Amino acid sequence: MSKIRVTVWGENVHERTNATVRAIYPAGMHQCIADALNEDPAIAASCATLDQPDHGLPPGRLEETDVLVWWGHAAHGDVADDVVDRVTQAVWSGMGAIFLHSAHFSKPFKRLMGTPCNLTWREAGERERLWLTARNHPIAAGLPDHFELEHEEMYGEPFGIPEPLETVFISWFQGGEVFRSGVTYRRGAGKVFYFRPGHETYPTYHDGNVQRVIRNAVHWAHNAAPRLAEPSAAPNTPVESALEPIVERGPTLHTAGEGGFR
Amino acid sequence: MSKIRVTVWGENVHERTNATVRAIYPAGMHQCIADALNEDPAIAASCATLDQPDHGLPPGRLEETDVLVWWGHAAHGDVADDVVDRVTQAVWSGMGAIFLHSAHFSKPFKRLMGTPCNLTWREAGERERLWLTARNHPIAAGLPDHFELEHEEMYGEPFGIPEPLETVFISWFQGGEVFRSGVTYRRGAGKVFYFRPGHETYPTYHDGNVQRVIRNAVHWAHNAAPRLAEPSAAPNTPVESALEPIVERGPTLHTAGEGGFR
Amino acid sequence: MSKIRVTVWGENVHERTNATVRAIYPAGMHQCIADALNEDPAIAASCATLDQPDHGLPPGRLEETDVLVWWGHAAHGDVADDVVDRVTQAVWSGMGAIFLHSAHFSKPFKRLMGTPCNLTWREAGERERLWLTARNHPIAAGLPDHFELEHEEMYGEPFGIPEPLETVFISWFQGGEVFRSGVTYRRGAGKVFYFRPGHETYPTYHDGNVQRVIRNAVHWAHNAAPRLAEPSAAPNTPVESALEPIVERGPTLHTAGEGGFR
Amino acid sequence: MSKIRVTVWGENVHERTNATVRAIYPAGMHQCIADALNEDPAIAASCATLDQPDHGLPPGRLEETDVLVWWGHAAHGDVADDVVDRVTQAVWSGMGAIFLHSAHFSKPFKRLMGTPCNLTWREAGERERLWLTARNHPIAAGLPDHFELEHEEMYGEPFGIPEPLETVFISWFQGGEVFRSGVTYRRGAGKVFYFRPGHETYPTYHDGNVQRVIRNAVHWAHNAAPRLAEPSAAPNTPVESALEPIVERGPTLHTAGEGGFR
């Protein structure tokens, strides 16, 4: 069986500008995540970053990506709209997508959700405890009913997402908040998972449980079916080829063979 | 009790350019819908159209709109992006929204769904039969288990929408297709309903059952709560005012009082 | 407009056998809840208890109940199965139902959910903080983004419920757990709401926010449509009266006019 | 990798009492389905029937079943309640379950849904066309956007099920009805799929597309995680072992070490 091809997209800003972040993730957060994924023999992960041409996602790259992992924070606005279009189209056509932490405000996540994606937050290095809410969900395979991250940024409800298909994790925070930390969606032919942890000043992506969740999520989000060629196509089915024999009746607007309005 | 304020937005293109459509809807489809809504003493409906300044939706208009009804087809691309932003923000802040028929491809609907919203279609004046799939749902109040439209355009599955919160109607078409014709969503604080019927060359919006569905949907989508001021706001909750006493620990990226990244 | 008729069903065991509970709820928890509901001029609430004939729910009572509120704990097993059937049928036919706290393990709730409804628990009088996760949801009308109960029993995830239609509240507990505290479902024509707070040794049902949630939930669960006569009926639609003309073909098992198997 | 162990449960009544059914399924419908599953080298399917001791599902059998397929019609009432309990518990603990056709009224399906599971029906050998509504869903792998069964019993909406997690197929019927023919649920740790086709007087389970759907559904429903030992357990978490240090406060009902009420 061929490997699941993962592209880990990293904004790569804090790693270059902030000594704390660089000390924790000398090769970048994206590389740390990719390395953790590559420990799974069924996964082949590589990286792409904002500063590369086309943000590392030129035409063709996503066609060869089974699952895209996205981390962004300080430079959401710098992501070019055509790249956002490309990501959205790829998800609709069947690519899996995993959005991490501050990617809740990234352009592609907001585009795929259709909601404000707002939350409350606090950077205090407080304790986060993630509780499993969907027992035996494949994204939680091998995990206990709860696990802790001793230092994390707090994200609090209300979290402005659509009602999830499934809520897999809910977080408890030391300062008194809760948050839906792992939620799944389907968008077109693609599966989407949002996973909360991962503030850049803490070693979250070195955590074994966090790495396991992301690995599990890659397997879950991978769609073995061939990618849809045109996920937005709205084909006309002419009267002559209707599945049941019908005769055209009444007035019409469209002339034969004409495409629909977009 | 004050009335529910409805704005019926109509593209108003076919009504001006096509004799068939004008004959059925001499005052425009939007006006026909608004008239049907105004038969309900609890509703006060008015219209807005594409050709008006700001498409009839200048700043302030949506703040005074409890529920927006949207019909568009030939000129989706002509709707200005800032108006789309205004509509989206209003929904997120609590305005109800009802999208009719070909509005499945309108900018605000696609923005709110986050999916391709594709379908298949055929303009043959065939019979459509809508089946109720959620008994006693308020949107179906007073309706039988099914009702028919003798002449309608066909829309067929797969319909590229997110898994609905509730599926209220499913359509049967004479030519052999099915379609999820009435689906509900929540987006931010606002409720969204998509309702399929309403091809411009047929007298669909003169139909009593269709009018009843739209009236019911207005009541369902109306949110009595005050509109949220800033639905996308992501406020910082400082350590000092945490609900549970905590002490800041570990490295930080943000300095005190700083806003988050967007 | 006629009032919403609510029946508050109370197990009424702890109130009679435990001095602590009796001191907090001298007239019973059910009466405290009914009194709080009756403060709303649109609601007419009365009580029924386990120790009454037919547990206070003889044939006819539920037909005159728009919304049933259920609290039970120590005596789930004493509830007669025919009363459980009656409650289930009433919900399916359109009655609203609100299950409180330990009613997660009541027979009617488990029957309506189809899941184990398990959880973890601790009776330590710890702080519970409920966070609103669905802004402007009618069940949360007039409530802040969070509210606290200084002393409550802890219920923790994983909570063995089906994926909710909507998650309205999530609780934070002082001891480190989280819980989906307010969840909605539709079962047949009836709406169901589960609300977590209400351990019998604490004055929870005297709390203004808790009372407001239950009042809001009564309005939300109330279905104005006439009750379905036979929610489980599976009528045969004979070939002769098919909506589209068809001719019977192929072999058959049923003879004409015969009922289906159950 | 070890094979997915499937038990196909058949009522085996019509096959013995009705010559038409016997002619189509000489070894029984269950055997036909099991044979089709065994064409997949990753599946090992065997059968169990109502007339066997314990209906072929004695203690231990379900522990060795990864996915249970259930077909019943005429004898739903003859299924012993303890076997129903066993099936329900197994699903909650992680076993997959696929319910076919008239199993919509089987005891375990109704128990797992919590709804009336009603529908309308007609036995006229009419054409059914199943439309895919969730593109690239694993249950639809390798299938076209629609497929037909030339002779089938009609099942019509409203179908009394809970709002599905995902709607995968919707059927069109020649006589004018529609039906949600493929719907998914999660119940405890187990995945559930209902699939409509399969009236006993037609050769439906010999159809290649139908066989493919059931094979796909077996893969989808299979949960690789170890079965939960006690899916309904509600463990007490004592104060002393709370994850965050807390001190017991306020009055209590339970004494230390005591189990909760059920």
Side-chain angles (χ1 to χ4, degrees):
Chain A
M1 205 173 85
S2 57
K3 295 190 175 201
I4 303 176
R5 300 162 302 174
V6 177
T7 300
V8 182
W9 190 90
E11 193 181 82
N12 197 26
V13 169
H14 299 306
E15 295 95 325
R16 291 180 298 137
T17 60
N18 184 290
T20 301
V21 179
R22 192 165 47 237
I24 306 174
Y25 300 108
M29 305 174 79
H30 41 281
Q31 192 59 53
C32 174
I33 295 167
D35 290 347
L37 290 173
N38 282 323
E39 288 176 19
D40 182 333
I43 295 176
S46 59
C47 295
T49 55
L50 178 66
D51 50 326
Q52 295 173 333
D54 280 300
H55 309 331
L57 302 174
R61 177 77 185 264
L62 295 178
E63 283 69 13
E64 295 174 358
T65 298
D66 295 313
V67 180
L68 178 69
V69 178
W70 191 280
W71 194 99
H73 185 206
H76 292 321
D78 295 348
V79 176
D81 285 338
D82 64 327
V83 170
V84 177
D85 287 343
R86 222 172 276 159
V87 170
T88 308
Q89 291 287 330
V91 170
W92 291 353
S93 72
M95 182 182 75
I98 299 170
F99 293 90
L100 296 175
H101 190 60
S102 41
H104 73 94
F105 261 162
S106 67
K107 286 183 179 180
F109 186 68
K110 288 194 294 183
R111 176 86 66 87
L112 289 165
M113 293 297 104
T115 55
C117 301
N118 61 295
L119 44 74
T120 71
W121 61 281
R122 176 177 54 236
E123 191 195 27
E126 68 199 272
R127 189 175 312 122
E128 174 178 14
R129 183 177 296 111
L130 291 101
W131 287 92
L132 177 60
T133 53
R135 296 175 99 171
N136 277 16
H137 194 287
I139 293 179
L143 287 164
D145 271 3
H146 68 272
F147 66 93
E148 294 179 8
L149 297 166
E150 189 54 31
H151 298 283
E152 253 298 348
E153 186 180 29
M154 180 281 287
Y155 278 7
E157 295 278 350
F159 184 20
I161 47 172
E163 196 66 36
L165 202 62
E166 303 162 307
T167 298
V168 183
F169 298 108
I170 296 178
S171 284
W172 177 100
F173 287 96
Q174 196 180 356
E177 283 87 356
V178 297
F179 195 75
R180 286 169 289 175
S181 272
V183 288
T184 72
Y185 297 92
R186 183 177 271 273
R187 287 294 181 265
K191 293 164 99 172
V192 176
F193 180 59
Y194 172 80
F195 187 51
R196 199 214 75 82
H199 189 56
E200 60 272 17
T201 58
Y202 313 120
T204 298
Y205 295 120
H206 292 287
D207 181 86
N209 287 319
V210 167
Q211 292 182 354
R212 184 180 284 255
V213 169
I214 302 174
R215 270 196 301 264
N216 286 343
V218 162
H219 283 274
W220 171 86
H222 174 227
N223 194 328
R227 211 61 78 76
L228 296 178
E230 292 184 74
S232 298
N236 177 250
T237 306
V239 180
E240 313 81 71
S241 52
L243 296 159
E244 301 291 325
I246 53 172
V247 175
E248 186 168 333
R249 302 181 303 171
T252 68
L253 194 71
H254 299 282
T255 54
E258 193 188 31
F261 296 109
R262 303 292 300 225
Chain B
M1 204 173 86
S2 57
K3 295 190 175 200
I4 302 176
R5 300 163 301 174
V6 177
T7 299
V8 182
W9 190 89
E11 193 181 82
N12 198 27
V13 169
H14 300 305
E15 295 95 324
R16 292 180 297 135
T17 61
N18 184 289
T20 301
V21 178
R22 192 164 48 236
I24 305 173
Y25 300 108
M29 305 174 79
H30 42 280
Q31 192 59 54
C32 174
I33 295 166
D35 290 347
L37 290 173
N38 282 323
E39 288 177 19
D40 183 333
I43 295 176
S46 59
C47 295
T49 55
L50 178 66
D51 49 327
Q52 295 172 333
D54 279 300
H55 310 332
L57 302 174
R61 177 78 185 264
L62 294 178
E63 283 70 13
E64 295 175 358
T65 297
D66 295 312
V67 180
L68 178 69
V69 178
W70 191 281
W71 194 99
H73 186 202
H76 292 321
D78 295 348
V79 177
D81 285 338
D82 63 326
V83 171
V84 177
D85 287 343
R86 223 173 275 159
V87 169
T88 307
Q89 291 287 328
V91 170
W92 293 352
S93 73
M95 182 182 73
I98 299 170
F99 293 90
L100 297 175
H101 190 62
S102 40
H104 72 94
F105 261 162
S106 67
K107 286 184 179 179
F109 187 67
K110 289 193 294 184
R111 178 86 67 88
L112 288 164
M113 293 296 104
T115 55
C117 300
N118 60 294
L119 44 75
T120 71
W121 61 281
R122 175 176 56 236
E123 191 195 25
E126 68 200 270
R127 190 175 311 122
E128 173 178 15
R129 184 177 295 111
L130 291 101
W131 287 92
L132 177 59
T133 52
R135 296 175 100 173
N136 278 17
H137 193 285
I139 292 178
L143 287 164
D145 271 3
H146 68 273
F147 65 93
E148 294 180 6
L149 297 166
E150 189 55 30
H151 298 283
E152 253 297 349
E153 186 180 27
M154 179 280 287
Y155 277 8
E157 294 280 348
F159 184 20
I161 47 172
E163 195 65 36
L165 201 60
E166 302 161 309
T167 299
V168 183
F169 299 107
I170 295 177
S171 284
W172 176 100
F173 287 96
Q174 195 180 355
E177 283 87 356
V178 297
F179 195 76
R180 286 170 290 174
S181 273
V183 288
T184 72
Y185 297 91
R186 184 177 271 274
R187 287 293 181 266
K191 293 164 98 172
V192 176
F193 180 59
Y194 171 81
F195 187 51
R196 198 213 76 84
H199 189 57
E200 59 272 21
T201 59
Y202 312 120
T204 297
Y205 296 120
H206 293 287
D207 180 86
N209 286 319
V210 167
Q211 292 182 354
R212 184 180 283 255
V213 169
I214 302 175
R215 271 195 300 267
N216 287 342
V218 162
H219 284 273
W220 171 86
H222 174 227
N223 193 328
R227 210 62 77 77
L228 296 178
E230 292 184 74
S232 298
N236 178 249
T237 305
V239 180
E240 313 81 71
S241 52
L243 295 159
E244 301 289 326
I246 54 172
V247 176
E248 187 168 332
R249 304 182 299 175
T252 69
L253 194 72
H254 300 282
T255 54
E258 193 188 32
F261 296 109
R262 302 292 299 225
Chain C
M1 204 173 88
S2 57
K3 294 189 174 201
I4 303 177
R5 301 162 300 175
V6 177
T7 299
V8 182
W9 191 88
E11 192 181 83
N12 198 26
V13 168
H14 299 305
E15 295 96 325
R16 291 180 297 136
T17 60
N18 183 289
T20 301
V21 179
R22 193 164 46 237
I24 306 173
Y25 299 108
M29 304 174 81
H30 41 282
Q31 192 59 54
C32 174
I33 295 166
D35 290 348
L37 290 173
N38 283 323
E39 287 177 19
D40 182 333
I43 295 177
S46 60
C47 295
T49 55
L50 178 67
D51 50 327
Q52 295 172 332
D54 280 300
H55 309 331
L57 302 174
R61 177 79 185 263
L62 294 178
E63 283 70 13
E64 296 175 357
T65 298
D66 295 313
V67 180
L68 178 69
V69 178
W70 191 281
W71 194 100
H73 186 205
H76 292 320
D78 295 349
V79 177
D81 285 339
D82 64 326
V83 170
V84 177
D85 287 343
R86 223 172 276 158
V87 169
T88 308
Q89 290 288 329
V91 170
W92 292 351
S93 73
M95 183 181 74
I98 299 169
F99 293 90
L100 297 174
H101 190 62
S102 41
H104 73 93
F105 261 162
S106 68
K107 286 184 180 180
F109 186 68
K110 288 194 294 184
R111 177 85 67 89
L112 289 164
M113 293 296 104
T115 55
C117 301
N118 60 296
L119 44 73
T120 71
W121 61 280
R122 175 177 57 237
E123 192 195 26
E126 67 199 273
R127 189 175 313 121
E128 173 179 15
R129 183 177 296 111
L130 291 101
W131 288 92
L132 177 58
T133 52
R135 296 175 99 173
N136 277 16
H137 194 285
I139 293 179
L143 287 164
D145 271 3
H146 68 272
F147 65 93
E148 293 180 7
L149 298 166
E150 188 54 31
H151 298 282
E152 253 298 347
E153 186 179 28
M154 179 281 287
Y155 278 7
E157 295 278 349
F159 184 20
I161 47 173
E163 195 65 36
L165 201 61
E166 303 162 308
T167 299
V168 182
F169 298 108
I170 295 177
S171 284
W172 177 100
F173 286 97
Q174 195 180 358
E177 283 87 356
V178 297
F179 195 75
R180 286 169 289 174
S181 273
V183 287
T184 73
Y185 297 91
R186 184 176 271 272
R187 286 294 182 263
K191 292 163 99 172
V192 176
F193 181 59
Y194 172 80
F195 187 51
R196 198 213 75 83
H199 190 56
E200 61 272 16
T201 58
Y202 313 119
T204 298
Y205 295 119
H206 292 288
D207 180 86
N209 287 318
V210 167
Q211 293 181 355
R212 184 181 283 255
V213 169
I214 302 174
R215 271 196 301 266
N216 286 343
V218 162
H219 284 274
W220 171 85
H222 174 227
N223 193 328
R227 210 63 76 76
L228 297 178
E230 293 183 74
S232 298
N236 178 249
T237 305
V239 180
E240 312 82 70
S241 52
L243 295 159
E244 300 291 324
I246 54 171
V247 176
E248 186 168 331
R249 302 182 301 171
T252 69
L253 193 72
H254 299 282
T255 54
E258 193 188 31
F261 296 110
R262 302 293 299 226
Chain D
M1 204 174 87
S2 57
K3 294 189 175 202
I4 303 177
R5 300 163 301 173
V6 177
T7 299
V8 182
W9 190 90
E11 191 181 84
N12 198 26
V13 168
H14 299 305
E15 295 95 326
R16 291 179 298 135
T17 60
N18 184 290
T20 301
V21 179
R22 192 164 47 237
I24 306 173
Y25 299 108
M29 305 174 78
H30 42 280
Q31 192 59 53
C32 174
I33 295 167
D35 290 347
L37 290 173
N38 282 323
E39 287 177 20
D40 182 333
I43 295 177
S46 59
C47 294
T49 55
L50 179 66
D51 50 325
Q52 295 172 334
D54 279 300
H55 309 332
L57 302 174
R61 177 77 184 264
L62 294 177
E63 282 71 12
E64 296 175 358
T65 298
D66 295 312
V67 180
L68 178 69
V69 178
W70 190 280
W71 194 99
H73 186 202
H76 291 322
D78 296 347
V79 177
D81 285 339
D82 64 326
V83 170
V84 177
D85 287 343
R86 222 172 278 158
V87 169
T88 308
Q89 291 288 328
V91 170
W92 292 352
S93 73
M95 182 181 74
I98 299 169
F99 293 90
L100 297 175
H101 190 63
S102 40
H104 73 93
F105 261 161
S106 67
K107 285 183 180 180
F109 186 68
K110 289 194 292 182
R111 177 86 67 86
L112 289 164
M113 293 296 104
T115 55
C117 301
N118 61 294
L119 44 75
T120 71
W121 60 280
R122 176 178 55 237
E123 191 195 26
E126 68 199 271
R127 189 174 313 122
E128 175 179 14
R129 183 177 297 110
L130 291 101
W131 287 92
L132 177 59
T133 52
R135 295 175 101 174
N136 277 17
H137 194 284
I139 292 179
L143 286 164
D145 271 2
H146 68 273
F147 65 93
E148 293 180 7
L149 297 166
E150 189 54 31
H151 298 281
E152 252 298 347
E153 187 179 27
M154 180 280 288
Y155 277 7
E157 295 280 348
F159 184 19
I161 47 172
E163 195 66 36
L165 201 61
E166 301 162 308
T167 299
V168 182
F169 299 108
I170 296 178
S171 285
W172 177 99
F173 287 98
Q174 195 179 358
E177 284 87 357
V178 297
F179 195 75
R180 287 169 289 174
S181 273
V183 287
T184 73
Y185 296 92
R186 183 176 272 273
R187 287 294 180 266
K191 291 163 100 173
V192 176
F193 180 59
Y194 172 81
F195 187 51
R196 198 214 76 82
H199 189 56
E200 59 271 22
T201 58
Y202 312 119
T204 298
Y205 295 120
H206 292 287
D207 180 87
N209 287 318
V210 167
Q211 292 181 354
R212 184 180 284 255
V213 169
I214 302 174
R215 271 195 300 265
N216 286 343
V218 162
H219 284 274
W220 171 85
H222 174 228
N223 193 330
R227 210 62 78 74
L228 296 179
E230 291 183 75
S232 297
N236 179 250
T237 306
V239 181
E240 313 82 70
S241 51
L243 295 159
E244 301 290 325
I246 54 172
V247 175
E248 187 168 332
R249 304 181 302 172
T252 69
L253 194 72
H254 299 283
T255 54
E258 192 187 32
F261 296 109
R262 302 292 299 225

